[in-house]
Amino acid sequence: MNTALQKTVAAQLIKKQRLDREFAWISREFRDFHTLSDLELYNTERYAALHLGYVF
């Protein structure tokens, strides 16, 4: 039973580390945006496509 608890704790720590990395990436990517008006919502799809390498 103790090993099952240890496996669960280890899995949760890995998930937390991944989530922390995602939030850190988001913070770095959007640090220049302070309000919603800074982010042009009608260009969001094109911005994401450009940076993710998608072609419209």
Side-chain angles (χ1 to χ4, degrees):
M1 178 129 160
N2 194 14
T3 55
L5 178 62
Q6 290 172 343
K7 288 180 182 178
T8 302
V9 169
Q12 292 297 324
L13 285 173
I14 291 170
K15 290 177 185 179
K16 183 180 183 324
Q17 290 172 347
R18 289 179 181 162
L19 189 60
D20 288 343
R21 276 190 298 226
E22 287 293 319
F23 279 115
W25 178 84
I26 291 168
S27 296
R28 283 192 312 271
E29 282 293 311
F30 295 101
R31 86 177 114 219
D32 295 334
F33 299 111
H34 301 291
T35 64
L36 282 178
S37 63
D38 292 340
L39 182 62
E40 297 177 11
L41 294 178
Y42 59 90
N43 281 332
T44 304
E45 289 179 6
R46 289 186 180 165
Y47 178 84
L50 173 69
H51 289 351
L52 294 175
Y54 298 136
V55 177
F56 273 102

